[in-house]
Amino acid sequence: MKRFLYLICMLIVATSCKEVFVAPPQALLQATFYNSATNIAYSPVISVLGVGRDTLLYAQDTIPRAYLPLTKRDTTHYIIWLDSKADSITFIHETRQKYASIETGFYYEYTLLSVRFTHNRIDSIKIIDSLVTIKWNENIKLYIHPLPVSGI
Amino acid sequence: MKILNFTFILCLLAAFSFGQAAPKKKYKPKRTDQYIHMKGLRFGIDVSRPFQDLWTKGNRYGNEFSADMELWPNLFPVFETGYEVMKINTHNINYSSNGSYSRVGFDYNILSAEHDDDKDVFFIGLRYGFAFAGQKVNRYTIDSYWGQENGSFPNQTYFAHWTEFLFGIKGEIFNNLYMGWTIRGKMKLNNIDLGVPPMYFIPGYGKSEKGFNLDFTYSVYYNIPWDFRKSAGKKKPVVIKAVVKKPVTKKPEVKSDMKAPAK
């Protein structure tokens, strides 16, 4: 009888824990910023807005790299302010749906095909790794013109 | 004075009782025969199946029925069948799977009975299980900066089979009414590639992504004590109809030439 009660208590403890379902992972494009004159990484003040979205992805953040989510469609448009100068970037990519688990759900992975951009602050963009997966790594190098007054 | 008398009598009784030899225990001989103890068919219902969601992630429930009989001494062929439903409903996914399954195999009792009417068993067993099932992702949601994207996958049907190694007990709690638990180790035999999403749940087996699953069942059984061997062995007594002829009673013939004895 004592063992039976012990078993019941164990079952209650085991089942009282709330089921936790983890959210699916996300594949993000990692862009690292470099000074085009020196080829040295640096941290500009950036703001990023997805075209068609109301909210900024980054708002006046001083960061050495940005993580950019891509859309389900084959092109993703961003407006990026680098030290208050705006540029637009368009990523052309292939999208694949991936399965994490039934408990977690699904996510997308991408293959970056090309990048189009304006040249206000951006000097050039180099694709390092075209596979945008849930294992985040440097996908593009974004070379920025140095500011004319303050040396970067 | 009365108290003293009682004390004296009690001491005397105690002294006599010490002097007496202890009564001999009646040892029942251990069972050495190979008799079939359980007569007839035993039907069971697994009472743990409806409450599986208590220890399984998601909402899993079902029903299972079983039938077994002691066909040979200590060897019980078993048939189990049931259906199961698995549902997961979170913000990210709404998944449902259901299907029916069956298992065939045998249990072998390793407990030696001490009495003829001792029907409790501790058994080891083997099963072959198979299931026909379907699964469907009714909705999935992918959240990102670009907003929420929803989608679904159509129904996928599949067949799966596995083997089980198990042990457990079945104890007779009332006349012909049994209860018992079983611990089962299940090994999957096939892998079906359904694409996306892959097969997630197999009724009667569990999560298909695991090659080995451990399970616990608790059942209630009722033995229908129909001794089919006895009834099959019984022969109707042969009725021999004897033709009984009536005895013919002949009147003694009186011959005419016979003369009555002279007086």
Side-chain angles (χ1 to χ4, degrees):
Chain A
M1 191 64 190
K2 201 176 171 185
R3 281 183 185 174
F4 184 70
L5 285 172
Y6 183 69
L7 187 73
I8 294 287
C9 288
M10 287 281 285
L11 275 172
I12 289 167
V13 169
T15 55
S16 61
C17 301
K18 200 190 169 194
E19 289 182 331
V20 178
F21 293 96
V22 184
Q26 210 175 355
L28 298 174
L29 184 142
Q30 185 185 314
T32 314
F33 305 112
Y34 291 87
N35 185 326
S36 64
T38 60
N39 283 347
I40 295 170
Y42 90 110
S43 305
V45 179
I46 70 157
S47 297
V48 179
L49 176 73
V51 174
R53 301 297 301 164
D54 300 330
T55 52
L56 289 166
L57 185 64
Y58 291 95
Q60 297 286 316
D61 294 325
T62 307
I63 45 174
R65 64 188 68 87
Y67 294 94
L68 307 173
L70 301 177
T71 61
K72 186 187 171 184
R73 293 176 296 278
D74 291 340
T75 53
T76 305
H77 303 282
Y78 276 108
I79 295 169
I80 182 164
W81 286 268
L82 294 157
D83 301 315
S84 303
K85 275 196 171 180
D87 271 305
S88 70
I89 304 178
T90 301
F91 298 104
I92 294 128
H93 51 83
E94 283 176 351
T95 307
R96 295 179 304 279
Q97 189 176 41
K98 303 290 275 188
Y99 165 81
S101 75
I102 285 295
E103 291 158 23
T104 305
F106 300 85
Y107 62 95
Y108 294 115
E109 282 191 344
Y110 312 90
T111 304
L112 202 56
L113 301 174
S114 64
V115 185
R116 290 199 297 259
F117 54 95
T118 57
H119 293 266
N120 294 324
R121 278 299 306 280
I122 300 170
D123 177 62
S124 60
I125 291 175
K126 191 177 177 184
I127 296 173
I128 302 298
D129 185 1
S130 61
L131 291 175
V132 182
T133 65
I134 54 172
K135 289 176 183 173
W136 301 343
N137 57 341
E138 189 181 42
N139 295 107
I140 57 166
K141 283 185 175 182
L142 212 145
Y143 294 94
I144 304 165
H145 293 299
L147 286 169
V149 182
S150 59
I152 298 167
Chain B
M1 190 64 194
K2 269 188 177 178
I3 295 168
L4 273 172
N5 279 340
F6 273 119
T7 314
F8 177 72
I9 290 162
L10 277 172
C11 287
L12 207 66
L13 280 171
F16 273 115
S17 64
F18 269 111
Q20 280 178 343
K24 281 185 180 177
K25 281 184 182 174
K26 286 179 181 176
Y27 287 106
K28 290 190 175 177
K30 266 200 168 182
R31 182 184 169 224
T32 53
D33 59 273
Q34 287 291 301
Y35 289 145
I36 286 168
H37 284 232
M38 198 191 78
K39 307 281 193 291
L41 266 169
R42 178 165 53 191
F43 293 98
I45 180 166
D46 189 339
V47 291
S48 65
R49 294 299 92 182
F51 307 104
Q52 285 178 98
D53 60 338
L54 291 173
W55 61 86
T56 312
K57 217 171 184 180
N59 187 12
R60 181 182 174 184
Y61 57 90
N63 272 312
E64 186 180 307
F65 305 96
S66 67
D68 70 317
M69 65 186 301
E70 194 175 2
L71 200 59
W72 297 281
N74 291 320
L75 199 65
F76 298 74
V78 184
F79 176 72
E80 295 161 333
T81 187
Y83 76 93
E84 271 192 326
V85 177
M86 176 75 171
K87 287 179 179 174
I88 291 177
N89 192 9
T90 66
H91 169 73
N92 297 311
I93 200 157
N94 183 331
Y95 168 87
S96 65
S97 170
N98 62 71
S100 58
Y101 62 93
S102 295
R103 300 189 201 104
V104 287
F106 65 87
D107 290 337
Y108 182 73
N109 174 33
I110 53 174
L111 200 69
S112 60
E114 291 187 0
H115 315 288
D116 275 353
D117 56 349
D118 199 354
K119 295 172 187 172
D120 299 343
V121 291
F122 177 76
F123 61 90
I124 52 171
L126 197 67
R127 301 278 189 281
Y128 168 75
F130 58 93
F132 294 96
Q135 68 173 15
K136 192 178 179 184
V137 174
N138 303 305
R139 171 194 54 80
Y140 69 82
T141 302
I142 300 173
D143 286 319
S144 81
Y145 169 73
W146 296 100
Q148 201 175 70
E149 283 172 18
N150 295 311
S152 64
F153 286 96
N155 192 44
Q156 300 164 297
T157 54
Y158 49 89
F159 167 81
H161 60 139
W162 66 94
T163 56
E164 289 184 17
F165 304 93
L166 49 98
F167 68 93
I169 57 166
K170 284 173 188 170
E172 190 179 26
I173 50 165
F174 297 113
N175 195 25
N176 294 320
L177 190 73
Y178 295 77
M179 284 177 96
W181 52 261
T182 311
I183 290 174
R184 299 160 182 267
K186 306 174 181 184
M187 283 167 66
K188 200 170 63 173
L189 293 176
N190 68 331
N191 266 316
I192 300 161
D193 186 16
L194 295 177
V196 177
M199 187 167 61
Y200 174 72
F201 176 74
I202 302 170
Y205 176 79
K207 287 181 185 175
S208 69
E209 58 198 19
K210 292 178 183 174
F212 180 80
N213 269 338
L214 209 61
D215 201 2
F216 169 81
T217 56
Y218 198 93
S219 297
V220 178
Y221 309 90
Y222 185 76
N223 173 215
I224 297 171
W226 169 55
D227 191 358
F228 66 96
R229 290 180 183 82
K230 207 173 174 181
S231 56
K234 263 185 184 175
K235 285 180 181 175
K236 286 182 181 176
V238 181
V239 180
I240 302 165
K241 286 184 180 176
V243 181
V244 182
K245 288 180 178 177
K246 284 183 181 177
V248 181
T249 49
K250 284 183 177 177
K251 284 181 181 177
E253 287 177 11
V254 181
K255 288 181 177 177
S256 57
D257 55 342
M258 280 181 77
K259 289 175 181 176
K263 287 181 182 175

